[in-house]
Amino acid sequence: MPVTFALSPSGRILVTAVDQKPKSTTDLRRLRNIAAENRVSVLADDYDEDWTRLWWVRLDGTAAVATTDTERAEAIAWLTAKYPQYRDNAPRGPVIRVEIRTVTGWAYTG
């Protein structure tokens, strides 16, 4: 599923939050999945008709829903710094923090 995300300044934590966009339910599968199994992968890629510009990166780690005000505030600060849309309407839902364990990727090298 597509998500907006931000990385910590160290690059070792990825955060994403449930924002105010309409959802069909508040019982989100992504939150249930993390509660049942906290090992996650996050894949980012960039497709281009020019295949010399293709790349992808996968982050594997452990996820948790932020439980402290400090963790949540830190994550929201990273997200609002990255996405101007969040500056006036910051996410109010749960925040997911992924402690990154491994990074793999690929890019066209010709």
Side-chain angles (χ1 to χ4, degrees), residues 6 11 16 23 33-34 44 47-48 52 62 75-76 83 85 90 96 99 105 109:
T16 185
K23 315 270 187 293
N33 286 349
I34 289 168
Y47 178 80
D48 195 289
T52 65
T62 54
I76 296 300
Y83 299 102
Q85 301 90 328
I96 299 167
E99 299 277 341
T109 57

Side-chain angles (χ1 to χ4, degrees), residues 4-98:
T4 56
F5 68 91
L7 294 173
S8 66
S10 71
R12 300 308 304 164
I13 299 170
L14 177 142
V15 295
T16 185
V18 178
D19 60 25
Q20 290 79 257
K21 289 191 295 291
K23 315 270 187 293
S24 60
T25 179
T26 57
D27 184 24
L28 299 177
R29 184 172 192 102
R30 68 188 108 160
L31 300 174
R32 291 194 321 267
N33 286 349
I34 289 168
E37 174 58 68
N38 70 346
R39 292 178 301 159
V40 299
S41 294
V42 179
L43 179 69
D45 69 349
D46 189 27
Y47 178 80
D48 195 289
E49 291 295 325
D50 177 354
W51 286 10
T52 65
R53 299 173 137 194
L54 300 178
W55 62 266
W56 62 264
V57 64
R58 189 182 80 200
L59 309 175
D60 297 304
T62 54
V65 176
T67 57
T68 70
D69 290 342
T70 301
E71 286 177 330
R72 191 171 192 300
E74 186 176 58
I76 296 300
W78 299 336
L79 287 162
T80 56
K82 182 175 180 184
Y83 299 102
Q85 301 90 328
Y86 283 157
R87 291 187 189 139
D88 292 327
N89 194 17
R92 294 188 294 268
V95 169
I96 299 167
R97 293 173 54 97
V98 178

